[in-house]
Amino acid sequence: MRLTHLSSLLLGTCLLSACGGSNDDSDTPTDGGTPPTSFDHQVIGTVVYQGAVAGAEVCVDLNQNASCDTDEPSTIADVDGKYQIDWSSDVEMPVYDLVANWQQAAETATKPALLKAAFRADALNANASKSDSNQGAISMEGVGKLVALQEHGGEINPMTHLEYQRVARMRAAGTTSLDIATQRGLLAALLLDIYERDGNPYKLSTEQSLSPEFIDTYRLHRHLEALIGEQLSDVLAVDDIMSITRDQLRDLVDESGMSTEDYLASDPMAVRFLVNNALIAEEYIETPIDAKIMSDADWQVITTNYLEEGQQPSMFNLGPAILEHFFTLDYGNPELSFIGRISDNQVTGLVLRTPVEEDDHLECWNTDMKKWINPDRKDQGYQPPAMTFIDNTMNSVYSGTNVPVTIEFTKYSGTGDEWQAILSTTPPALKLAELNWPSQVYRYRIHQAEDVMCRTEEFDTKEMPLHQDPQQLTTADVARLSWPSLYPDELVIDEENQRITNKMTEATFEWSLIDSPSDQSIIHIVEIVEPQFANFVLATDYLIDGADIFEVMINKGSSEYSQRHQHLSITYDGEEDGFNQRFYKHLEAIVKGQ
């Protein structure tokens, strides 16, 4: 918990409750004369946000309502953000806050949605809304506001504002003065650690406020505040989690290759995972708190509807326009799929029956074991690593190999705005927005680390030419091996360009030698098509194994192209409100109607 984390931070750090505060000197005359009825006061300071704030209205907030009322002393900061307020009152030692207001361009970054949770309700949370303390320094309308407690000698900056927000929340909850002082001391230690500073955390120069390190750290800090909000009873939970995760947050930004501002504007799930896990590790919460983070119940849906063969497959895959929006729907029967496409805004489709075989006798090349492995056989010494579920990612390996395969899931509310926005980008002909979707929809993206080579256990072999040298293969050799019934009369051989044309179909194929995962050569044959379709053409591959040649399947690893042309691949609880059958009937009706 926080007290343990702060024990090292507090060493050598002055608690603010003992640094400054009210002046104990009294102006009461000691000679028995008449006490004064009016007292003069003065505040001199500087307003700093990201640089000096010129022209800010600064006031002495005597009623501590975080606003500049017309009857409160005020002034305007100069071009360097400096100001001076002189006033008189009948109170010798007034209690006040300092407020600075100004107008500037609105910040473009959108505020992320809160991590959702049912936190413990108590008096602090019940009254927190009255404090209005979780407002950013700059509103969406471009109105800037910073507040500072009076102990900071007129300094008004993001750090004083951050402290004020915590204190305002405690004031609204009726926290005692002693407890507020203690929390302020702990916050001072946290701020020095978060911003890697020494001395007084609330004294921020113009130059310091303009440094990229400060600005980026402040943005990260505010992002965490937007994620956690005031849901936790501990008013310093945000600052504690920021102190713990700061370096990891910076690493995430660096890995993204984006600026901190742009990265946070995307509301990255990696940050949500990090914050959620830190809250659990520090015992602020016991279970995941974000509606976007997969729970055990979500993984059970995935297991039943997506991972487990022979149960109730519930999946929909929609290809990009370049593939005529080819789509497949698995609607609960492992032997049936509805497949179709969209051409000229017309939907065609049919039910495809693919009987499930108990054993397809497929084996893949295991580069570590250097042999072919059928994972269904238990006598080959192959033991796949256990499947793991971390954050929203399932981690496994390609069957029979040690090639990592990760499946990243994005969770959407079936009635939420995000899912509706995705549906709005799908072809209107499918009318997907008209469906009543299950309560949760899971989009998935598969990443395979490397290419994988597989074959059937019962495979036919061809013989290499007598030279048995892949480098001496000719186009005529490849034509004779691949199309023996057509060679040579029905084929046109182009040795110079390594191309073979079928006279009857006029299809032209090009061959080349490529390396296989087993470090042997592969004869790679692919049909020549229009460039926009080239990445979607299935190649024929033959592995050269000494004197033998046999067909293999190369399952490509994830590529930049496939990432740029993402399919919409989703799964869900197909049994919820009979969604599988409703989805099937929906598509069937569209096809029959056309």
Side-chain angles (χ1 to χ4, degrees), residues 436-454:
N436 291 322
W437 289 84
S439 56
Q440 303 295 334
V441 179
Y442 309 91
R443 184 174 189 174
Y444 59 89
R445 293 180 172 89
I446 302 174
H447 178 80
Q448 180 182 312
E450 305 169 10
D451 292 351
V452 172
M453 178 173 66
C454 300

Side-chain angles (χ1 to χ4, degrees), residues 578-592:
F579 184 72
N580 271 335
Q581 284 300 311
R582 287 195 291 111
F583 200 171
Y584 162 63
K585 292 295 184 183
H586 173 83
L587 294 179
E588 182 186 49
I590 291 175
V591 171
K592 287 183 176 179

Side-chain angles (χ1 to χ4, degrees), residues 556-570:
K556 302 294 291 182
S558 300
S559 66
E560 180 182 352
Y561 187 89
S562 63
Q563 292 170 4
R564 284 190 286 115
H565 295 273
Q566 285 286 355
H567 290 219
L568 174 62
S569 302
I570 58 174

Side-chain angles (χ1 to χ4, degrees), residues 3 41 54 76 84 105 126 209 260 265 280 410 417 487 498 511 521 538 568:
L3 292 179
H41 311 286
I76 302 298
Q84 176 176 324
S209 73
T260 300
I280 292 176
T410 305
D417 292 340
Y487 180 82
Q498 296 189 172
W511 74 276
S521 293
L538 296 178
L568 174 62

Side-chain angles (χ1 to χ4, degrees), residues 30-290:
T30 59
D31 57 2
T34 302
T37 58
S38 179
F39 301 90
D40 294 329
H41 311 286
Q42 183 181 76
V43 178
I44 300 175
T46 307
V47 184
V48 171
Y49 183 57
Q50 291 176 10
V53 182
E57 177 194 14
V58 185
C59 73
V60 178
D61 183 17
L62 293 169
N63 59 8
Q64 297 183 307
N65 67 349
S67 298
C68 290
D69 300 324
T70 56
D71 59 343
E72 292 177 326
S74 64
T75 190
I76 302 298
D78 66 16
V79 293
D80 296 319
K82 299 183 181 300
Y83 69 92
Q84 176 176 324
I85 303 177
D86 297 289
W87 82 101
S88 299
S89 73
D90 57 1
V91 178
E92 180 181 2
M93 301 182 65
V95 176
Y96 57 85
D97 297 327
L98 293 170
V99 179
N101 295 293
W102 71 96
Q103 188 73 38
Q104 71 167 52
E107 294 186 340
T108 57
T110 56
K111 185 177 180 180
L114 277 171
L115 296 167
K116 300 297 184 182
F119 289 111
R120 178 173 61 87
D122 54 22
L124 182 60
N125 282 329
N127 292 296
S129 61
K130 299 178 182 178
S131 71
D132 193 33
S133 63
N134 197 32
Q135 299 298 313
I138 309 296
S139 72
M140 297 300 292
E141 294 76 27
V143 176
K145 174 187 284 189
L146 293 173
V147 185
L149 303 183
Q150 70 183 93
E151 291 89 347
H152 300 313
E155 298 287 344
I156 307 176
N157 56 56
M159 298 295 94
T160 67
H161 187 73
L162 209 153
E163 180 200 35
Y164 164 76
Q165 291 179 307
R166 310 301 184 257
V167 171
R169 193 175 163 203
M170 290 186 283
R171 287 173 180 170
T175 306
T176 67
S177 298
L178 179 59
D179 287 341
I180 290 177
T182 301
Q183 293 292 84
R184 289 179 63 197
L186 296 175
L187 176 62
L190 282 167
L191 293 179
L192 289 175
D193 180 60
I194 292 169
Y195 292 90
E196 301 174 283
R197 299 180 59 202
D198 297 318
N200 184 350
Y202 302 110
K203 189 171 181 61
L204 186 70
S205 69
T206 301
E207 293 74 18
Q208 289 171 328
S209 73
L210 285 170
S211 72
E213 294 80 8
F214 174 83
I215 293 174
D216 286 345
T217 303
Y218 184 67
R219 282 180 175 143
L220 291 168
H221 200 167
R222 298 301 298 190
H223 190 83
L224 262 61
E225 189 158 31
L227 288 177
I228 298 173
E230 296 182 354
Q231 300 178 94
L232 290 168
S233 60
D234 192 322
V235 294
L236 303 189
V238 172
D239 313 296
D240 186 30
I241 296 302
M242 178 63 193
S243 175
I244 293 169
T245 63
R246 181 200 63 205
D247 292 342
Q248 293 167 282
L249 289 167
R250 289 174 175 172
D251 289 343
L252 289 175
V253 175
D254 290 342
E255 291 167 6
S256 74
M258 304 165 66
S259 68
T260 300
E261 183 177 15
D262 290 343
Y263 179 66
L264 296 179
S266 69
D267 190 10
M269 283 300 299
V271 172
R272 289 178 173 268
F273 294 143
L274 179 60
V275 173
N276 177 79
N277 294 339
L279 287 168
I280 292 176
E282 295 303 307
E283 300 179 5
Y284 286 110
I285 59 175
E286 294 181 356
T287 57
I289 64 174
D290 191 355

